[in-house]
Amino acid sequence: MFLAYLRAELYRLVRRKVFWIAVLFAFGTALAVVAPAASAALFPGTSEAVPAVDLTPATVGAYAILPFLVTVCSVSLANEEQRGQALKSIACRPGWQRSYVLAHAAVLGMVAGALGALQLAATAVACAAFGVALTPVAPSAIGVCFVGVALFAAGYAALPFAVSVGAGLEGLAMAFGVAWSLGLLDASWRGFMGLVAQFVPVAAPVANAVASCLLVSIAGLLKYPAELLGNPAALAQALLVPLGWLAASLALTLFCLRRRPVA
């Protein structure tokens, strides 16, 4: 059942225009990152030196848009299933519910990985085409940071998916997904936790712990991969917290499906 749902989800996704628009955005943002260095290489008189490009994935540059793209694809797919009454059929059978949720989780990871790989490949090819130097980076560092950024994007997209399944309102789910994936809502929660820690000292340890687990904090960890790789504790946090968000959001999705009216 899981494989059947996975194939169905992927089939629906690649037939949606929003997915191919996301592909174009991912490709375009990668080229935009290389453009300044390419311009300096093609017109040497306009710049003192040609800057090197770092291929290491991070939550800056081209990869900063990845959570947004994955979220929009995910919510759009869930909204289509709302309109087609597919979720009502799934809600009737517990086994189907679990398979559907796990299949969509796999789709989140696949979309994040595919778009991230596209950005990485487009950056490398553009640098080679325009003669732009690459910053020396160990392949293992690129691999670890790629996994971190993909998990970060999938973790971000999982909660709007749960909201879409639970609310059943397309506009509301997409609005929440966009605001969430751009860091507008979890950033507010982090600020609130900062105020709690400042004005309620007894609650400061809990507030700081919650703030450190918010995905906006993980974005800060993944912003500087070189520093992250030298800190095993921070690296573990950057990888495990998005997995925790993904698991919690999928559990919420399953709960919403089980509470969903089937009539």
Side-chain angles (χ1 to χ4, degrees), residues 44-164:
T46 61
S47 178
E48 295 181 359
V50 178
V53 173
D54 191 347
L55 283 180
T56 310
T59 51
V60 293
Y63 299 95
I65 199 174
L66 195 57
F68 170 75
L69 297 179
V70 177
T71 296
V72 171
C73 288
S74 171
V75 175
S76 176
L77 186 60
N79 286 342
E80 182 193 27
E81 291 161 348
Q82 297 271 14
R83 292 192 297 270
Q85 304 296 315
L87 292 183
K88 285 189 176 182
S89 299
I90 294 169
C92 296
R93 298 171 175 82
W96 289 18
Q97 297 167 7
R98 289 189 295 270
S99 296
Y100 169 72
V101 170
L102 290 176
H104 199 90
V107 170
L108 288 178
M110 289 179 177
V111 173
L115 295 180
L118 173 63
Q119 291 176 314
L120 183 64
T123 302
V125 171
C127 287
F130 292 107
V132 176
L134 295 176
T135 303
V137 180
S140 58
I142 294 178
V144 169
C145 292
F146 178 83
V147 172
V149 169
L151 286 175
F152 174 74
Y156 247 130
L159 184 57
F161 168 61
V163 172
S164 178

Side-chain angles (χ1 to χ4, degrees), residues 218-243:
I218 305 306
L221 289 177
L222 290 167
K223 190 175 181 180
Y224 304 105
E227 298 178 8
L228 181 66
L229 292 173
N231 188 336
L235 178 60
Q237 184 183 10
L239 296 178
L240 294 178
V241 169
L243 278 175

